[in-house]
Amino acid sequence: MAGIVVKPRSRIFHGHDWVYSSEVHKMFGKPEPGDVISIKDFKDRKLGTAIYNPESQIIARRFSRRTQKLDTDFFIRRLERALSLRETMAFDDPVYRLTWSESDGLPGVIIDRYGDHFVLQTLTLAMDQRKELIAEALVKIFSPASIIERNDSPIRKAEGLEIEKGLLYGEAPGRFQVTVKGINFAVNPLDGHKTGLYLDQFDNYQAVADLAKGRRVLDCFCNEAGFALHCARNEAQSVQAIDSSEPALDCARENADSNQVEIEFTNANVFDFLKESEAETPPYDLIILDPPSFTRNRKSVKDALRGYKEIHLRALKLLSKDGILATFCCSHHVNRKMFLDTICDSAVDAKATLRLLSSHSQRQDHPIVPTIPESEYLKGFIFQKMATW
Ligand code: SAH
């Protein structure tokens, strides 16, 4: 098998599974892009088997510490393991992320399950080349109604992959409804504007809703209104939700109807909305901020932090005494500490003191491998604005 000899002190010696091109000491053999290769250390000791893509900065990603082929049996074993982990998580409804890339030993493979419908993303070249095998393994284990490929993530560019979307197996389901913990959501995996729901946020919906009773809620960047729906269900006094995408709001309105709750939706840019909402008396008792990632690379982190600072500052000014701020950051390049520091800066500028009620992360069906920091991306905090005394 062709392969790579890795330089000493590379991240793979610290528990990571990636090899950057700058970490390659030398290559042996002539692997083709997408091939399975062997990884070795300086002393010719095997470190495992990886997938290879010279077009990517991440030239190799290890998927096994042994010698391993990528065949249907391999995928069946990995998917069965992923399933058995999700089964221990005891979800009430079969709506969850079945595989989360490296955290399930499948670099670049993300599979979301919506009951009998599966949505696959293959974000690495090698896995993309083998998506039929992955689909075959899914069919063997789950006998699904459909497998949909939603490879429209811009991340694929880094691997030299095109945008693709379509039906891999079964019959296209169109728009259908799933129910998670008693709340209905519309999903349209093939034609929807995104892959599906933000499954990573489902525990956080509940945590925020627990504080919503009797409060006037504002859900910023609501998308399909996960937070807003949960708050409305939990007897919020009123719920307002903002997003700048009309297709997202269409879905959100449908969700509000099917759950028979009242939510006031506004199509607006949250930055403008918050700026224009300044009032004598703060109009909200609970504000949720769940923006998209403001940065896709390290270079724009500073700008991203300025964006986070601005929305927090403005939100804090609209929040009543003892009001709740629930805030989330899904940017890979902004870590928990940077995010927290930014919120604290905003609070100082807003002359507010925040007490931290709880810290949050992605739901456990998106498991984190601490030695692979990229496997963690969602950070969240719930604060209370302390009354000044
Ligand atoms: N809270 C949502 C997920 C938010 S995703 C949930 O749990 O489902 C981010 C959302 O922000 C997207 O729906 C996108 O349309 C919206 N968005 C992006 N930029 C925006 C802006 N400047 N103003 C308002 N909405 C924006």
Side-chain angles (χ1 to χ4, degrees):
M1 200 188 281
I4 287 175
V5 177
V6 181
K7 284 182 188 166
R9 287 193 292 280
S10 294
R11 44 175 67 57
I12 204 158
F13 299 111
H14 301 280
H16 213 300
D17 280 335
W18 294 355
V19 180
Y20 277 74
S21 47
S22 57
E23 293 172 329
V24 175
H25 171 64
K26 65 172 186 196
M27 305 276 311
F28 52 93
K30 281 206 170 53
E32 292 292 323
D35 274 359
V36 169
I37 60 166
S38 164
I39 311 228
K40 290 182 174 179
D41 73 6
F42 218 64
K43 293 188 174 152
D44 207 38
R45 285 179 297 216
K46 281 190 181 161
L47 299 171
T49 315
I51 49 177
Y52 171 70
N53 185 1
E55 261 210 50
S56 167
Q57 248 189 41
I58 306 163
I59 194 166
R61 296 171 196 245
R62 178 170 61 184
F63 61 88
S64 171
R65 288 177 188 258
R66 292 184 286 194
T67 306
Q68 178 63 56
K69 280 191 292 202
L70 281 188
D71 52 16
T72 313
D73 281 348
F74 165 82
F75 288 113
I76 290 177
R77 284 198 305 277
R78 288 283 149 106
L79 293 184
E80 277 175 344
R81 252 192 258 171
L83 173 63
S84 79
L85 175 64
R86 274 51 180 193
E87 281 171 348
T88 66
M89 294 172 185
F91 296 117
D92 296 339
D93 314 279
V95 177
Y96 50 72
R97 179 150 287 186
L98 174 65
T99 68
W100 170 227
S101 205
E102 280 79 5
S103 302
D104 286 289
L106 290 166
V109 180
I110 298 176
I111 304 172
D112 290 330
R113 176 175 190 188
Y114 297 95
D116 291 334
H117 304 283
F118 291 75
V119 182
L120 170 69
Q121 299 178 66
T122 44
L123 305 176
T124 49
L125 173 67
M127 294 303 179
D128 195 62
Q129 289 173 345
R130 292 162 180 86
K131 61 190 166 204
E132 301 297 337
L133 300 185
I134 300 171
E136 216 175 283
L138 279 171
V139 171
K140 283 230 164 88
I141 301 170
F142 297 96
S143 311
S146 77
I147 303 173
I148 278 142
E149 169 187 12
R150 273 306 290 256
N151 274 323
D152 39 5
S153 163
I155 302 175
R156 280 170 57 99
K157 271 206 197 108
E159 291 269 320
L161 292 166
E162 298 297 320
I163 299 295
E164 282 174 281
K165 132 181 155 163
L167 182 69
L168 287 181
Y169 176 84
E171 228 173 277
R175 198 158 162 135
F176 63 96
Q177 210 172 57
V178 293
T179 304
V180 181
K181 289 197 173 158
I183 299 206
N184 308 323
F185 286 92
V187 197
N188 189 357
L190 188 56
D191 301 313
H193 66 292
K194 55 184 284 291
T195 50
L197 303 174
Y198 285 92
L199 299 171
D200 52 355
Q201 283 286 27
F202 271 79
D203 285 350
N204 302 333
Y205 294 157
Q206 196 51 53
V208 171
D210 286 345
L211 296 163
K213 196 170 176 178
R215 288 195 151 100
R216 296 164 299 166
V217 175
L218 176 68
D219 180 1
C220 297
F221 308 96
C222 69
N223 193 261
E224 293 188 25
F227 283 107
L229 291 167
H230 281 76
C231 291
R233 261 294 169 88
N234 229 23
E235 298 172 46
Q237 190 188 115
S238 62
V239 184
Q240 231 179 309
I242 319 291
D243 203 283
S244 58
S245 152
E246 200 47 46
L249 287 172
D250 271 349
C251 246
R253 287 190 193 99
E254 187 182 324
N255 290 341
D257 288 347
S258 74
N259 289 289
Q260 296 173 316
V261 293
E262 211 157 299
I263 298 171
E264 184 190 332
F265 291 103
T266 308
N267 183 337
N269 180 327
V270 167
F271 286 84
D272 299 337
F273 180 89
L274 294 178
K275 206 187 304 180
E276 285 153 17
S277 304
E278 277 182 34
E280 287 280 303
T281 357
Y284 303 108
D285 314 304
L286 195 172
I287 299 181
I288 299 139
L289 298 175
D290 184 24
S293 170
F294 289 151
T295 164
R296 294 227 174 265
N297 55 55
R298 251 172 247 288
K299 271 187 250 152
S300 55
V301 165
K302 256 197 173 164
D303 290 338
L305 292 179
R306 250 197 301 276
Y308 287 116
K309 184 164 171 192
E310 184 178 337
I311 50 170
H312 285 90
L313 177 59
R314 294 198 185 283
L316 283 170
K317 288 189 176 161
L318 299 175
L319 200 57
S320 61
K321 280 181 191 170
D322 292 324
I324 302 289
L325 176 70
T327 177
F328 299 88
C329 167
C330 61
S331 171
H332 280 277
H333 301 285
V334 175
N335 64 30
R336 199 169 275 274
K337 165 107 176 46
M338 287 154 87
F339 184 48
L340 183 58
D341 286 349
T342 306
I343 300 166
C344 293
D345 281 354
S346 315
V348 170
D349 286 6
K351 300 191 175 59
T353 304
L354 295 178
R355 63 176 157 228
L356 181 62
L357 301 186
S358 54
S359 296
H360 300 270
S361 182
Q362 60 224 46
R363 196 173 67 172
Q364 51 180 341
D365 50 342
H366 303 56
I368 294 163
V369 178
T371 49
I372 305 180
E374 294 80 359
S375 62
E376 177 177 17
Y377 63 97
L378 185 63
K379 287 80 57 182
F381 300 107
I382 300 182
F383 294 103
Q384 185 167 36
K385 183 175 169 185
M386 287 167 70
T388 38
W389 55 66

